[in-house]
């Protein structure tokens, strides 16, 4: 149990570190004229190809055979993970500052703690629930208490952030349920989630938007697309699913909020855009809430 707890926390921390660079990456790629939808489609294709080869090597013939109930679960997870969570977050970063996008996204532990009580039967502790009020306080400081220092909150960015928030929360709860119950395994789930989610994005972009944005592709954008595919996508989501297999979803969600600390370090280095004092203060309050909540109910892991 202790080994599982430590392993799960370390895997979730690895996801937070890998995801920390996605906000600045999305901000930069968006300024180059390449659609974030194209980046997500490329990520999906890479992950599906690599995971199919890996599963063929590890499992052998017939690895892709799953029942219809599990197929429906993977179809829903593909929509929640790829379309709502990852794509929604990247689009929110185009309209919001990186700290704003992260702080909005990291209200999701509240949704996960609420949903876990009904969906997975894992009741959050009182400290974890109390941390929700600290997170709301941090969001107020970061978004609204600056008196004009913080960039205005974009309505499209806010809406895309909410889409990402709902997708991430639903993804974590449903993944935790099927992984804990032994109905799935992280490798197979990663393959099917990106197979279905990627297919949805590719079809939608082909029908409604097209691929003219690829004309703006350059070496820098293509290099960053590799990080999105291999780092944040393949390794980040792989570690996340591994963590959800051994520790509760509320605990994973709390560890993931440390992504905001990594992003605050990476953003000035990659974009030259320093966060405002109010954004730093808001992020600090959110991190304090995480520390408070993480102190509760560890034994449930």
């Amino acid at each position: 149990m202790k080994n599982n707890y430590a392993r799960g926390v370390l895997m979730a921390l690895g996801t937070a570190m890998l995801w920390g660079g996605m906000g600045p990456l999305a901000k930069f790629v968006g300024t180059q004229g390449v659609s974030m939808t194209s980046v997500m489609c490329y990520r999906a294709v890479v992950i599906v190809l690599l995971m199919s080869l890996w599963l063929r090597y590890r499992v052998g013939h017939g690895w892709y055979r799953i029942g219809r109930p599990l197929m429906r679960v993977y179809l829903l997870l593909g929509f929640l993970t790829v379309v709502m969570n990852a794509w929604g977050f990247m689009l929110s970063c185009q309209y919001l500052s990186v700290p704003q996008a992260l702080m909005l996204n990291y209200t999701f532990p509240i949704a996960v703690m609420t949903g876990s009580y009904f969906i997975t039967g894992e009741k959050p502790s009182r400290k974890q629930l109390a941390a929700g009020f600290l997170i709301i306080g941090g969001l107020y400081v970061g978004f609204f208490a600056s008196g004009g220092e913080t960039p205005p909150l974009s309505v499209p960015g806010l809406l895309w952030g909410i889409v990402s928030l709902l997708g991430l929360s639903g993804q974590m709860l449903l993944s935790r349920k099927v992984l804990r119950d032994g109905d799935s395994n992280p490798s197979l789930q990663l393959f099917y989630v990106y197979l279905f989610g990627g297919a949805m994005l590719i079809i939608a972009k082909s029908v409604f938007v097209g691929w003219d944005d690829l004309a703006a592709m350059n070496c820098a954008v293509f290099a960053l697309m590799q990080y999105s595919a291999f780092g944040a996508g393949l390794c980040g989501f792989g570690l996340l699913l591994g963590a959800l297999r051994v520790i509760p979803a509320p605990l994973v969600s709390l560890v993931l909020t440390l992504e905001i600390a990594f992003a605050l370090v990476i953003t000035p280095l990659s974009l030259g855009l320093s966060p405002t004092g109010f954004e730093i203060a808001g992020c600090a309050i959110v991190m304090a809430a995480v520390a408070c909540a993480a102190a509760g109910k560890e034994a449930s892991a």
Side-chain angles (χ1 to χ4, degrees):
M1 183 66 70
K2 290 183 178 179
N3 289 338
N4 281 342
Y5 173 81
R7 183 159 54 91
V9 169
L10 287 174
M11 286 190 289
L13 180 60
T15 298
M17 293 177 64
L18 290 167
W19 284 5
M22 282 308 302
L25 181 152
K27 199 75 173 177
F28 174 80
V29 172
T31 64
Q32 303 303 301
V34 177
S35 168
M36 295 312 301
T37 311
S38 297
V39 176
M40 285 305 306
C41 291
Y42 176 77
R43 176 198 283 191
V45 170
V46 169
I47 291 177
V48 167
L49 290 176
L50 290 179
M51 290 308 301
S52 63
L53 293 174
W54 170 253
L55 287 165
R56 172 65 177 83
Y57 170 75
R58 293 286 296 181
V59 181
H61 294 290
W63 60 265
Y64 50 83
R65 294 183 185 133
I66 58 175
R68 288 186 179 180
L70 192 55
M71 184 74 74
R72 289 192 289 267
V73 170
Y74 286 153
L75 186 63
L76 177 57
L77 279 171
F79 182 74
L80 291 171
T81 303
V82 180
V83 179
M84 292 185 66
N85 174 24
W87 186 47
F89 176 71
M90 285 185 165
L91 289 176
S92 73
C93 288
Q94 291 186 343
Y95 295 98
L96 303 172
S97 72
V98 173
Q100 282 180 338
L102 285 171
M103 289 168 61
L104 176 61
N105 197 51
Y106 279 105
T107 59
F108 87 92
I110 303 173
V112 171
M113 285 187 285
T114 303
S116 66
Y117 181 82
F118 299 99
I119 297 175
T120 66
E122 295 167 328
K123 184 179 179 181
S125 69
R126 292 181 179 178
K127 289 184 178 180
Q128 291 172 341
L129 293 173
F133 293 98
L134 280 178
I135 291 174
I136 294 173
L139 293 173
Y140 174 80
V141 171
F143 283 165
F144 306 112
S146 63
E149 184 181 346
T150 299
L153 191 61
S154 163
V155 174
L158 177 62
L159 293 176
W160 280 116
I162 293 173
V163 168
S164 176
L165 166 70
L166 294 175
L168 181 56
S169 303
Q171 166 212 339
M172 291 191 64
L173 290 168
L174 186 55
S175 292
R176 170 62 176 168
K177 180 173 177 57
V178 297
L179 290 168
R180 185 194 61 179
D181 294 345
D183 297 330
S184 179
N185 67 76
S187 297
L188 196 62
Q189 182 171 320
L190 185 61
F191 169 81
Y192 274 108
V193 161
Y194 272 93
L195 176 67
F196 292 137
M200 294 176 197
L201 280 186
I202 291 172
I203 293 171
K205 192 174 192 302
S206 299
V207 172
F208 298 107
V209 181
W211 301 89
D212 294 341
D213 60 296
L214 295 181
M217 180 76 66
N218 56 45
C219 293
V221 171
F222 186 71
L224 290 174
M225 288 172 65
Q226 309 316 305
Y227 179 81
S228 172
F230 292 93
L234 184 64
C235 297
F237 274 100
L239 289 171
L240 173 62
L241 295 176
L244 287 169
R245 194 176 191 179
V246 295
I247 59 177
L251 180 58
V252 175
S253 70
L254 293 167
V255 176
L256 286 184
T257 55
L258 295 177
E259 175 191 344
I260 199 169
F262 298 115
L264 281 176
V265 174
I266 295 171
T267 299
L269 297 176
S270 59
L271 299 178
L273 300 174
S274 299
T276 67
F278 283 94
E279 287 172 339
I280 293 174
C283 292
I285 294 173
V286 171
M287 293 178 66
V290 174
C292 171
K297 205 173 181 181
E298 292 180 359
S300 65

